[in-house]
Amino acid sequence: MLAHMTLPKILLIALAAVWGNTQAAESSFCGRSLGQKFIEYVELPCPKGVACFGMWTRREIQIEKLLDGPAVGNRITVARIQHGLFNAEFDASFSLFTVKPIDDKAKRDLLGADYLLVKFANGEEAQVCGKSQKSSSAGLSASETQHIPPASD
């Protein structure tokens, strides 16, 4: 059965199986992240007595090829909650994205983004984007970190 199928068709079938079906309002596409930053002025509600580590982040994405869902333009700004920023090399390695529009205008204005980033991938999951990629490390190099000595008594 697979003998008559082209490689792009096989990859799209594999994408659907691994990536899952995109919801009606969501768009999946190949692209690249152009940078990320914390949205410092937006705090997440955190119940008393609970350790909360997430923060809103915003990134700009350049769209190269729409795979599924409504068109989103050539360059978009997305927001998501995550625990920290990725190092630049790891962030730039992502090429497969799924976003959904932020329907609430007040939330769009607050976050400075028109879409929420639902999923993103690099490496093998992103092969449908036609790039030979390897997954990069999300960790920071020694030159990007600071050692904070323990407090002295």
Side-chain angles (χ1 to χ4, degrees), residues 29-31 64-65 67 95-97 126-131 133:
F29 54 86
C30 298
E64 295 169 1
K65 176 173 60 171
L67 299 174
S95 62
L96 179 59
F97 301 89
Q127 284 183 355
V128 70
C129 293
K131 298 177 183 176
Q133 298 186 24

Side-chain angles (χ1 to χ4, degrees), residues 131-149:
K131 298 177 183 176
S132 61
Q133 298 186 24
K134 61 177 185 180
S135 294
S136 300
S137 169
L140 299 175
S141 69
S143 64
E144 296 174 300
T145 61
Q146 287 184 343
H147 174 71
I148 301 173

